[in-house]
Amino acid sequence: MSADREAPLGWIYLKMYDDKSFEFISQGIMRDKDIYEGNYKLKNDTFYFKYKDSIPKAGSKAIIQKGFVIYLNGNYSESLQVKLNNISINE
């Protein structure tokens, strides 16, 4: 699955792979690229992200709703538009 959104002076990306790994990338024009990696688990319609190192301020739990990945437990509200989705919610 691939999702993203334009952020002030940059972009936020989420890339999720078949092997249950993911990358959450925050990249800006005026700042370096921050890459948060780990593994995810899908339970019902909720994604649980387990990060290898630090957790981004978007949080570690999200749902897919109406074409967006919506983070539920971060320091701020984050939603990314889904560009490609090959993940089955019925896993």
Side-chain angles (χ1 to χ4, degrees):
M1 182 172 76
S2 177
D4 62 36
R5 77 164 176 89
E6 190 171 4
L9 301 175
W11 284 86
I12 305 288
Y13 302 96
L14 174 64
K15 297 179 181 181
M16 299 170 68
Y17 305 101
D18 291 339
D19 66 356
K20 304 292 185 196
S21 65
F22 74 91
E23 295 175 317
F24 182 91
I25 303 165
S26 176
Q27 179 175 336
I29 297 168
M30 306 284 287
R31 60 182 168 80
D32 292 335
K33 181 190 297 188
D34 295 318
I35 301 174
Y36 302 89
E37 298 177 301
N39 294 300
Y40 69 90
K41 181 170 83 169
L42 176 61
K43 186 173 180 182
N44 299 322
D45 65 348
T46 305
F47 289 104
Y48 297 89
F49 299 101
K50 182 173 182 179
Y51 294 89
K52 290 182 181 176
D53 296 315
S54 60
I55 298 173
K57 293 180 180 183
S60 61
K61 187 164 100 172
I63 59 171
I64 294 181
Q65 189 175 62
K66 297 181 182 177
F68 288 86
V69 175
I70 302 166
Y71 283 81
L72 303 173
N73 66 339
N75 293 345
Y76 65 94
S77 178
E78 180 67 80
S79 63
L80 307 174
Q81 185 173 12
V82 175
K83 302 297 182 180
L84 173 67
N85 184 5
N86 292 331
I87 295 176
S88 173
I89 297 296
N90 298 322
E91 291 183 12

Coordinates of all heavy atoms in Angstrom, one line a residue:
M1 N 0.8 -1.2 0.0 CA 0.0 0.0 0.0 C 0.9 1.2 0.0 O 2.0 1.2 0.6 CB -0.9 0.0 1.2 CG -1.8 1.2 1.2 SD -3.1 1.2 2.5 CE -2.1 1.7 3.9
S2 N 0.4 2.3 -0.6 CA 1.2 3.5 -0.7 C 0.2 4.7 -0.4 O -0.9 4.7 -1.0 CB 1.8 3.7 -2.1 OG 2.4 5.0 -2.1
A3 N 0.5 5.6 0.5 CA -0.3 6.7 0.8 C 0.6 7.9 1.1 O 1.7 7.8 1.5 CB -1.2 6.4 2.0
D4 N 0.1 9.1 0.8 CA 0.9 10.3 1.0 C 0.0 11.5 1.2 O -1.2 11.5 0.9 CB 1.9 10.5 -0.1 CG 1.3 10.7 -1.4 OD1 0.3 11.3 -1.6 OD2 1.9 10.2 -2.4
R5 N 0.6 12.6 1.5 CA 0.0 13.9 1.5 C 1.1 15.0 1.5 O 2.2 14.8 1.9 CB -0.9 14.2 2.7 CG -0.2 14.5 4.0 CD -1.1 15.1 5.0 NE -0.4 15.3 6.3 CZ 0.2 16.4 6.6 NH1 0.3 17.5 5.8 NH2 0.8 16.6 7.8
E6 N 0.7 16.1 0.9 CA 1.6 17.3 0.9 C 1.6 17.9 2.3 O 0.5 18.1 2.9 CB 1.2 18.3 -0.2 CG 2.3 19.3 -0.4 CD 2.0 20.2 -1.6 OE1 0.9 20.1 -2.2 OE2 2.8 21.1 -1.8
A7 N 2.7 18.2 2.8 CA 2.9 18.9 4.1 C 3.5 20.2 3.9 O 4.0 20.5 2.8 CB 3.8 18.0 5.0
P8 N 3.4 21.1 4.9 CA 4.1 22.4 4.7 C 5.6 22.2 4.4 O 6.3 21.5 5.1 CB 4.0 23.1 6.1 CG 2.7 22.4 6.7 CD 2.8 21.0 6.2
L9 N 6.0 22.6 3.2 CA 7.4 22.5 2.8 C 7.9 21.1 2.6 O 9.0 20.8 2.8 CB 8.3 23.3 3.7 CG 8.0 24.8 3.9 CD1 8.9 25.4 4.9 CD2 8.2 25.5 2.6
G10 N 7.0 20.2 2.2 CA 7.4 18.8 2.0 C 6.3 17.8 1.8 O 5.2 18.2 1.4
W11 N 6.6 16.6 2.1 CA 5.6 15.5 1.9 C 5.7 14.5 3.1 O 6.7 14.4 3.7 CB 5.9 14.7 0.6 CG 5.4 15.5 -0.6 CD1 6.1 16.4 -1.3 CD2 4.2 15.3 -1.2 NE1 5.4 16.9 -2.3 CE2 4.2 16.2 -2.3 CE3 3.0 14.6 -1.0 CZ2 3.1 16.4 -3.2 CZ3 1.9 14.7 -1.8 CH2 2.0 15.6 -2.9
I12 N 4.6 13.8 3.3 CA 4.5 12.7 4.2 C 4.1 11.4 3.4 O 3.2 11.5 2.6 CB 3.5 12.9 5.3 CG1 3.7 14.2 6.1 CG2 3.4 11.7 6.3 CD1 4.8 14.2 7.0
Y13 N 4.9 10.4 3.6 CA 4.6 9.1 2.8 C 4.5 7.9 3.8 O 5.2 7.9 4.8 CB 5.8 8.8 1.9 CG 6.2 9.8 0.9 CD1 7.2 10.7 1.1 CD2 5.5 9.9 -0.3 CE1 7.5 11.7 0.2 CE2 5.9 10.9 -1.3 CZ 6.9 11.8 -1.0 OH 7.2 12.7 -1.9
L14 N 3.6 7.0 3.4 CA 3.5 5.7 4.1 C 3.6 4.6 3.0 O 2.8 4.6 2.1 CB 2.2 5.6 4.9 CG 1.9 4.2 5.5 CD1 3.0 3.9 6.6 CD2 0.5 4.2 6.1
K15 N 4.6 3.7 3.2 CA 4.7 2.6 2.3 C 4.7 1.3 3.1 O 5.4 1.2 4.0 CB 6.1 2.7 1.6 CG 6.2 3.9 0.7 CD 7.5 4.0 0.0 CE 7.6 5.3 -0.8 NZ 8.9 5.4 -1.5
M16 N 3.7 0.5 2.7 CA 3.5 -0.8 3.4 C 3.7 -1.9 2.5 O 3.3 -1.9 1.3 CB 2.1 -0.8 4.0 CG 1.9 0.3 5.0 SD 0.2 0.5 5.6 CE 0.0 -1.0 6.5
Y17 N 4.4 -3.0 2.9 CA 4.9 -4.0 2.0 C 4.2 -5.4 2.4 O 3.7 -5.5 3.5 CB 6.4 -4.1 2.0 CG 7.1 -2.8 1.7 CD1 7.6 -2.0 2.7 CD2 7.1 -2.4 0.4 CE1 8.2 -0.8 2.4 CE2 7.7 -1.2 0.1 CZ 8.3 -0.4 1.0 OH 8.8 0.8 0.7
D18 N 4.3 -6.3 1.5 CA 3.7 -7.6 1.7 C 4.3 -8.4 2.8 O 3.6 -9.2 3.4 CB 3.8 -8.5 0.4 CG 2.9 -8.0 -0.7 OD1 1.9 -7.3 -0.5 OD2 3.2 -8.3 -1.9
D19 N 5.5 -8.2 3.2 CA 6.2 -8.9 4.3 C 5.9 -8.3 5.6 O 6.5 -8.6 6.6 CB 7.7 -8.9 4.0 CG 8.4 -7.6 4.1 OD1 7.7 -6.5 4.3 OD2 9.6 -7.5 4.0
K20 N 4.9 -7.4 5.7 CA 4.4 -6.7 6.9 C 5.3 -5.7 7.4 O 5.2 -5.2 8.5 CB 4.1 -7.7 8.0 CG 3.1 -8.8 7.7 CD 1.7 -8.2 7.5 CE 0.7 -9.4 7.2 NZ -0.5 -8.9 6.7
S21 N 6.3 -5.2 6.6 CA 7.2 -4.1 7.0 C 6.6 -2.8 6.4 O 5.7 -2.8 5.5 CB 8.6 -4.3 6.4 OG 8.6 -4.3 5.0
F22 N 7.0 -1.7 6.9 CA 6.5 -0.4 6.5 C 7.6 0.7 6.7 O 8.5 0.5 7.4 CB 5.2 0.0 7.2 CG 5.5 0.5 8.6 CD1 5.7 1.8 8.9 CD2 5.5 -0.4 9.6 CE1 5.9 2.2 10.2 CE2 5.7 0.0 10.9 CZ 5.9 1.3 11.2
E23 N 7.4 1.8 6.0 CA 8.2 3.0 6.1 C 7.2 4.2 6.2 O 6.3 4.3 5.4 CB 9.1 3.2 5.0 CG 10.2 2.2 4.8 CD 11.0 2.4 3.5 OE1 10.4 2.7 2.5 OE2 12.2 2.3 3.6
F24 N 7.4 5.0 7.2 CA 6.7 6.3 7.4 C 7.7 7.3 7.2 O 8.7 7.4 7.9 CB 6.1 6.4 8.8 CG 5.3 7.6 9.0 CD1 3.9 7.7 8.7 CD2 5.9 8.8 9.5 CE1 3.2 8.8 8.9 CE2 5.2 10.0 9.7 CZ 3.8 10.0 9.4
I25 N 7.6 8.1 6.1 CA 8.6 9.1 5.7 C 8.1 10.5 5.8 O 7.1 10.8 5.2 CB 9.1 8.8 4.3 CG1 9.6 7.3 4.2 CG2 10.2 9.7 3.9 CD1 9.8 6.8 2.8
S26 N 8.9 11.4 6.4 CA 8.6 12.8 6.5 C 9.7 13.5 5.8 O 10.9 13.4 6.3 CB 8.4 13.2 8.0 OG 8.2 14.6 8.0
Q27 N 9.4 14.2 4.8 CA 10.5 14.8 3.9 C 10.2 16.2 3.6 O 9.0 16.5 3.2 CB 10.6 14.0 2.7 CG 11.7 14.5 1.7 CD 11.8 13.5 0.5 OE1 11.5 12.3 0.6 NE2 12.3 14.0 -0.6
G28 N 11.1 17.1 3.8 CA 10.8 18.5 3.5 C 11.9 19.2 2.7 O 13.0 18.7 2.5
I29 N 11.5 20.3 2.2 CA 12.5 21.1 1.3 C 13.6 21.7 2.2 O 14.7 21.7 1.9 CB 11.7 22.3 0.6 CG1 10.7 21.6 -0.3 CG2 12.6 23.2 -0.1 CD1 9.7 22.6 -0.9
M30 N 13.2 22.2 3.4 CA 14.1 22.9 4.3 C 14.7 22.0 5.4 O 15.4 22.4 6.2 CB 13.4 24.1 4.9 CG 12.8 25.0 4.0 SD 14.0 26.1 3.2 CE 14.4 27.1 4.5
R31 N 14.4 20.7 5.4 CA 14.8 19.8 6.4 C 15.1 18.4 5.8 O 14.8 18.1 4.7 CB 13.8 19.7 7.5 CG 12.5 19.1 7.1 CD 11.5 19.1 8.3 NE 10.2 18.8 7.9 CZ 9.7 17.6 7.6 NH1 10.5 16.6 7.7 NH2 8.5 17.5 7.1
D32 N 15.9 17.6 6.6 CA 16.2 16.3 6.2 C 15.0 15.3 6.1 O 14.0 15.6 6.7 CB 17.3 15.7 7.1 CG 18.6 16.4 7.1 OD1 18.9 17.0 6.0 OD2 19.3 16.3 8.0
K33 N 15.2 14.2 5.5 CA 14.2 13.2 5.4 C 14.3 12.3 6.7 O 15.3 11.9 7.1 CB 14.5 12.3 4.2 CG 13.5 11.1 4.1 CD 13.9 10.1 3.0 CE 14.0 10.7 1.6 NZ 14.2 9.6 0.6
D34 N 13.1 12.2 7.4 CA 13.0 11.3 8.6 C 12.3 10.0 8.1 O 11.2 10.1 7.6 CB 12.2 12.0 9.7 CG 12.9 13.2 10.2 OD1 14.2 13.1 10.4 OD2 12.3 14.2 10.5
I35 N 12.9 8.9 8.4 CA 12.3 7.6 8.0 C 12.1 6.8 9.3 O 13.1 6.6 10.0 CB 13.2 6.8 7.0 CG1 13.5 7.7 5.7 CG2 12.6 5.5 6.7 CD1 14.5 7.0 4.8
Y36 N 10.9 6.4 9.5 CA 10.5 5.6 10.6 C 10.1 4.2 10.0 O 9.2 4.1 9.2 CB 9.3 6.2 11.3 CG 9.6 7.6 11.8 CD1 9.3 8.7 11.0 CD2 10.1 7.8 13.1 CE1 9.5 10.0 11.5 CE2 10.3 9.1 13.6 CZ 10.1 10.2 12.8 OH 10.3 11.4 13.2
E37 N 10.8 3.2 10.4 CA 10.6 1.8 9.9 C 10.1 0.9 11.0 O 10.3 1.1 12.2 CB 11.9 1.3 9.3 CG 12.4 2.1 8.2 CD 13.7 1.5 7.7 OE1 14.7 1.4 8.5 OE2 13.8 1.2 6.5
G38 N 9.5 -0.2 10.5 CA 9.0 -1.2 11.5 C 8.2 -2.3 10.8 O 8.2 -2.4 9.6
N39 N 7.3 -2.9 11.6 CA 6.4 -3.9 11.1 C 5.0 -3.5 11.5 O 4.8 -2.8 12.5 CB 6.7 -5.3 11.6 CG 8.0 -5.8 11.1 OD1 8.2 -5.9 9.9 ND2 9.0 -6.0 12.0
Y40 N 4.0 -3.9 10.7 CA 2.6 -3.6 11.0 C 1.8 -4.9 11.2 O 2.2 -6.0 10.7 CB 2.0 -2.7 10.0 CG 1.7 -3.4 8.6 CD1 0.6 -4.1 8.4 CD2 2.7 -3.3 7.6 CE1 0.3 -4.7 7.1 CE2 2.5 -3.9 6.4 CZ 1.3 -4.6 6.2 OH 1.1 -5.2 5.0
K41 N 0.7 -4.8 11.9 CA -0.2 -5.9 12.1 C -1.6 -5.3 11.8 O -1.9 -4.2 12.1 CB -0.2 -6.4 13.5 CG -1.2 -7.5 13.8 CD -0.9 -8.1 15.2 CE -1.6 -7.4 16.2 NZ -1.7 -8.0 17.5
L42 N -2.4 -6.1 11.0 CA -3.7 -5.7 10.7 C -4.7 -6.5 11.5 O -4.7 -7.7 11.5 CB -4.0 -5.9 9.2 CG -5.4 -5.6 8.6 CD1 -5.8 -4.1 8.9 CD2 -5.4 -5.9 7.2
K43 N -5.6 -5.8 12.2 CA -6.6 -6.5 13.0 C -8.0 -5.8 12.7 O -8.1 -4.6 13.0 CB -6.3 -6.5 14.5 CG -7.3 -7.3 15.3 CD -6.8 -7.3 16.8 CE -7.8 -8.2 17.6 NZ -7.4 -8.2 19.0
N44 N -8.9 -6.6 12.1 CA -10.2 -6.0 11.6 C -9.8 -4.9 10.6 O -9.3 -5.1 9.6 CB -11.1 -5.6 12.7 CG -11.4 -6.7 13.6 OD1 -11.7 -7.8 13.1 ND2 -11.5 -6.5 14.9
D45 N -10.2 -3.6 10.9 CA -9.9 -2.5 10.0 C -8.8 -1.6 10.6 O -8.6 -0.5 10.1 CB -11.2 -1.7 9.7 CG -11.7 -1.0 11.0 OD1 -11.2 -1.3 12.1 OD2 -12.6 -0.2 10.8
T46 N -8.1 -2.1 11.6 CA -7.1 -1.2 12.2 C -5.7 -1.7 12.0 O -5.4 -2.9 12.1 CB -7.4 -1.2 13.7 OG1 -8.7 -0.8 13.9 CG2 -6.4 -0.2 14.5
F47 N -4.8 -0.8 11.7 CA -3.3 -1.1 11.5 C -2.6 -0.7 12.8 O -2.8 0.4 13.4 CB -2.7 -0.3 10.4 CG -3.1 -0.7 9.0 CD1 -4.0 0.0 8.3 CD2 -2.6 -1.9 8.5 CE1 -4.4 -0.4 7.0 CE2 -3.0 -2.3 7.2 CZ -3.9 -1.6 6.5
Y48 N -1.8 -1.6 13.3 CA -0.9 -1.4 14.5 C 0.5 -1.4 14.0 O 1.0 -2.4 13.4 CB -1.2 -2.4 15.5 CG -2.6 -2.5 16.1 CD1 -3.5 -3.2 15.5 CD2 -2.9 -1.7 17.2 CE1 -4.8 -3.3 15.9 CE2 -4.2 -1.7 17.6 CZ -5.2 -2.5 17.0 OH -6.5 -2.5 17.5
F49 N 1.2 -0.2 14.2 CA 2.5 -0.1 13.7 C 3.5 -0.3 14.9 O 3.4 0.4 15.9 CB 2.7 1.3 13.1 CG 1.9 1.5 11.9 CD1 0.7 2.3 12.0 CD2 2.2 1.0 10.6 CE1 -0.1 2.5 10.9 CE2 1.4 1.2 9.5 CZ 0.2 2.0 9.7
K50 N 4.5 -1.2 14.7 CA 5.5 -1.4 15.7 C 6.8 -0.8 15.1 O 7.3 -1.4 14.1 CB 5.7 -2.8 16.1 CG 6.7 -3.0 17.1 CD 6.7 -4.5 17.6 CE 7.8 -4.6 18.7 NZ 7.9 -5.9 19.2
Y51 N 7.3 0.3 15.6 CA 8.5 1.0 15.1 C 9.7 0.4 15.6 O 9.8 -0.1 16.8 CB 8.4 2.5 15.4 CG 7.3 3.2 14.7 CD1 6.0 3.3 15.3 CD2 7.4 3.7 13.5 CE1 4.9 3.9 14.7 CE2 6.4 4.4 12.8 CZ 5.1 4.4 13.4 OH 4.1 5.1 12.8
K52 N 10.8 0.3 14.8 CA 12.1 -0.2 15.2 C 12.7 0.7 16.2 O 13.4 0.3 17.2 CB 13.0 -0.4 14.0 CG 12.6 -1.5 13.1 CD 13.6 -1.7 12.0 CE 13.1 -2.8 11.1 NZ 14.0 -3.0 9.9
D53 N 12.6 2.0 16.0 CA 13.3 3.0 16.9 C 12.2 4.0 17.4 O 11.3 3.5 18.1 CB 14.4 3.8 16.1 CG 15.5 2.9 15.7 OD1 16.0 2.1 16.5 OD2 15.9 3.0 14.5
S54 N 12.3 5.2 17.1 CA 11.4 6.2 17.6 C 10.0 6.2 16.8 O 9.9 5.7 15.7 CB 12.0 7.6 17.5 OG 12.3 7.9 16.2
I55 N 9.0 6.7 17.5 CA 7.6 6.7 16.9 C 7.4 8.2 16.4 O 7.6 9.1 17.2 CB 6.6 6.3 18.0 CG1 6.8 4.9 18.4 CG2 5.2 6.5 17.4 CD1 6.0 4.5 19.6
P56 N 6.9 8.3 15.2 CA 6.6 9.7 14.7 C 5.4 10.3 15.5 O 4.6 9.5 16.1 CB 6.3 9.5 13.3 CG 5.8 8.1 13.1 CD 6.6 7.3 14.2
K57 N 5.2 11.5 15.5 CA 4.2 12.2 16.2 C 2.8 11.8 15.7 O 1.8 12.1 16.4 CB 4.4 13.7 16.2 CG 5.6 14.1 17.0 CD 5.7 15.6 17.0 CE 7.0 16.0 17.8 NZ 7.2 17.4 17.9
A58 N 2.7 11.2 14.5 CA 1.4 10.8 13.9 C 0.8 9.7 14.8 O -0.4 9.5 14.8 CB 1.6 10.4 12.5
G59 N 1.7 8.8 15.4 CA 1.2 7.8 16.2 C 1.5 6.4 15.7 O 2.2 6.2 14.7
S60 N 0.9 5.4 16.3 CA 1.2 4.0 16.0 C -0.1 3.1 15.7 O 0.0 1.9 15.6 CB 1.9 3.3 17.2 OG 1.1 3.4 18.3
K61 N -1.2 3.8 15.5 CA -2.4 3.1 15.2 C -3.2 3.9 14.2 O -3.4 5.1 14.3 CB -3.2 2.9 16.5 CG -4.5 2.1 16.4 CD -5.0 1.7 17.8 CE -6.1 2.5 18.2 NZ -6.7 2.1 19.4
A62 N -3.8 3.2 13.2 CA -4.5 3.9 12.1 C -5.6 3.0 11.5 O -5.5 1.8 11.6 CB -3.5 4.3 11.0
I63 N -6.5 3.6 10.8 CA -7.5 2.9 10.1 C -7.6 3.4 8.6 O -7.1 4.5 8.4 CB -8.9 3.0 10.7 CG1 -9.4 4.5 10.8 CG2 -9.0 2.4 12.1 CD1 -10.8 4.7 11.2
I64 N -8.1 2.6 7.7 CA -8.4 3.1 6.4 C -9.9 3.4 6.3 O -10.7 2.6 6.7 CB -8.1 2.0 5.3 CG1 -6.6 1.7 5.3 CG2 -8.5 2.5 3.9 CD1 -6.2 0.7 4.3
Q65 N -10.1 4.6 5.9 CA -11.5 5.1 5.8 C -11.7 6.0 4.6 O -11.0 7.0 4.5 CB -11.9 5.7 7.1 CG -13.4 6.0 7.2 CD -13.7 6.6 8.6 OE1 -13.2 7.6 9.0 NE2 -14.5 5.9 9.3
K66 N -12.6 5.7 3.7 CA -12.9 6.5 2.6 C -11.7 7.0 1.8 O -11.6 8.1 1.4 CB -13.7 7.7 3.0 CG -15.1 7.4 3.6 CD -15.8 8.6 4.0 CE -17.2 8.1 4.7 NZ -17.9 9.2 5.2
G67 N -10.8 6.0 1.5 CA -9.6 6.3 0.7 C -8.5 7.0 1.5 O -7.5 7.5 0.8
F68 N -8.5 7.1 2.8 CA -7.5 7.7 3.6 C -7.0 6.8 4.7 O -7.8 6.0 5.2 CB -8.0 9.0 4.2 CG -8.2 10.1 3.3 CD1 -9.4 10.2 2.5 CD2 -7.2 11.0 3.0 CE1 -9.5 11.3 1.6 CE2 -7.3 12.1 2.1 CZ -8.5 12.2 1.4
V69 N -5.7 6.9 5.0 CA -5.2 6.3 6.2 C -5.3 7.3 7.3 O -4.7 8.4 7.2 CB -3.7 5.8 6.1 CG1 -3.1 5.3 7.4 CG2 -3.6 4.8 5.0
I70 N -6.0 7.1 8.4 CA -6.2 8.0 9.4 C -5.6 7.5 10.7 O -6.0 6.5 11.2 CB -7.7 8.3 9.6 CG1 -8.4 8.8 8.3 CG2 -8.0 9.3 10.8 CD1 -9.9 8.7 8.3
Y71 N -4.6 8.3 11.2 CA -3.9 7.9 12.5 C -4.8 8.3 13.6 O -5.4 9.4 13.6 CB -2.6 8.6 12.5 CG -1.5 7.9 11.7 CD1 -1.5 8.1 10.3 CD2 -0.7 6.9 12.2 CE1 -0.6 7.5 9.5 CE2 0.2 6.3 11.4 CZ 0.3 6.6 10.1 OH 1.2 5.9 9.3
L72 N -4.8 7.5 14.7 CA -5.8 7.6 15.8 C -5.2 8.1 17.1 O -5.9 8.6 17.9 CB -6.6 6.3 16.0 CG -7.3 5.8 14.8 CD1 -7.9 4.4 15.1 CD2 -8.4 6.7 14.4
N73 N -3.9 7.8 17.3 CA -3.4 8.0 18.6 C -2.1 8.9 18.7 O -1.3 8.7 19.6 CB -3.1 6.7 19.3 CG -2.0 5.9 18.6 OD1 -1.7 6.1 17.5 ND2 -1.4 5.0 19.4
G74 N -2.0 9.8 17.8 CA -0.8 10.6 17.7 C -0.9 11.9 18.5 O -2.0 12.2 19.1
N75 N 0.1 12.7 18.4 CA 0.1 14.1 19.1 C -0.7 15.1 18.2 O -1.0 16.1 18.7 CB 1.6 14.6 19.2 CG 2.3 13.8 20.3 OD1 1.8 13.0 21.0 ND2 3.6 13.9 20.3
Y76 N -0.9 14.7 17.0 CA -1.7 15.6 16.1 C -2.5 14.7 15.2 O -2.2 13.5 15.0 CB -0.9 16.5 15.3 CG 0.1 15.9 14.4 CD1 -0.3 15.7 13.0 CD2 1.3 15.4 14.7 CE1 0.6 15.1 12.1 CE2 2.2 14.8 13.8 CZ 1.8 14.7 12.5 OH 2.6 14.1 11.6
S77 N -3.5 15.2 14.5 CA -4.4 14.5 13.6 C -3.6 14.3 12.3 O -3.2 15.3 11.7 CB -5.7 15.2 13.4 OG -6.5 14.5 12.5
E78 N -3.5 13.1 11.8 CA -2.8 12.9 10.5 C -3.6 12.0 9.7 O -4.2 11.0 10.1 CB -1.4 12.2 10.8 CG -0.6 11.9 9.6 CD -0.1 13.2 8.9 OE1 0.9 13.7 9.3 OE2 -0.8 13.6 7.9
S79 N -3.8 12.3 8.4 CA -4.4 11.5 7.4 C -3.7 11.6 6.1 O -3.3 12.7 5.7 CB -5.9 11.8 7.3 OG -6.0 13.1 6.8
L80 N -3.5 10.4 5.5 CA -2.8 10.3 4.2 C -3.7 9.7 3.2 O -4.4 8.8 3.5 CB -1.5 9.4 4.4 CG -0.6 9.8 5.5 CD1 0.5 8.7 5.6 CD2 0.0 11.2 5.3
Q81 N -3.7 10.2 2.0 CA -4.5 9.7 0.9 C -3.9 8.5 0.3 O -2.7 8.4 0.0 CB -4.8 10.7 -0.2 CG -5.7 10.3 -1.2 CD -6.1 11.4 -2.2 OE1 -5.4 12.4 -2.3 NE2 -7.1 11.1 -3.0
V82 N -4.7 7.4 0.2 CA -4.2 6.1 -0.3 C -4.1 6.3 -1.8 O -5.0 6.7 -2.5 CB -5.2 5.0 0.0 CG1 -4.8 3.7 -0.7 CG2 -5.3 4.8 1.5
K83 N -2.9 5.9 -2.3 CA -2.6 6.0 -3.8 C -2.7 4.6 -4.4 O -3.2 4.5 -5.5 CB -1.3 6.6 -4.1 CG -1.1 8.0 -3.5 CD -2.0 9.0 -4.1 CE -1.7 10.3 -3.5 NZ -2.4 11.4 -4.0
L84 N -2.3 3.6 -3.7 CA -2.3 2.2 -4.1 C -2.6 1.3 -2.9 O -2.0 1.5 -1.9 CB -0.9 1.8 -4.7 CG -0.7 0.4 -5.1 CD1 -1.7 0.0 -6.3 CD2 0.7 0.1 -5.5
N85 N -3.6 0.4 -3.1 CA -4.0 -0.4 -2.0 C -4.1 -1.9 -2.5 O -5.1 -2.2 -3.2 CB -5.2 0.0 -1.3 CG -5.6 -0.8 -0.1 OD1 -4.8 -1.7 0.3 ND2 -6.7 -0.5 0.5
N86 N -3.2 -2.7 -2.1 CA -3.3 -4.2 -2.4 C -3.5 -5.0 -1.1 O -3.2 -6.2 -1.1 CB -2.0 -4.7 -3.1 CG -2.0 -4.1 -4.5 OD1 -3.0 -3.7 -5.1 ND2 -0.8 -3.9 -5.0
I87 N -3.8 -4.3 0.0 CA -4.0 -5.0 1.3 C -5.4 -5.4 1.5 O -6.3 -4.5 1.3 CB -3.5 -4.1 2.4 CG1 -2.0 -3.8 2.3 CG2 -3.8 -4.7 3.8 CD1 -1.4 -2.9 3.3
S88 N -5.6 -6.6 1.9 CA -7.0 -7.1 2.1 C -7.3 -6.9 3.6 O -6.6 -7.3 4.5 CB -7.1 -8.6 1.8 OG -8.4 -9.1 2.2
I89 N -8.4 -6.2 3.8 CA -8.9 -5.9 5.2 C -9.3 -7.2 5.9 O -9.4 -7.3 7.1 CB -10.0 -4.8 5.2 CG1 -9.5 -3.5 4.7 CG2 -10.6 -4.6 6.6 CD1 -8.4 -2.8 5.5
N90 N -9.7 -8.2 5.1 CA -10.2 -9.4 5.7 C -9.1 -10.4 6.1 O -9.4 -11.6 6.1 CB -11.1 -10.1 4.7 CG -12.3 -9.2 4.4 OD1 -12.8 -8.6 5.3 ND2 -12.7 -9.2 3.1
E91 N -7.9 -10.0 6.3 CA -6.8 -10.9 6.7 C -7.0 -11.5 8.0 O -7.6 -10.9 8.9 CB -5.5 -10.2 6.6 CG -5.1 -9.8 5.3 CD -3.7 -9.2 5.2 OE1 -3.0 -9.2 6.2 OE2 -3.3 -8.7 4.2

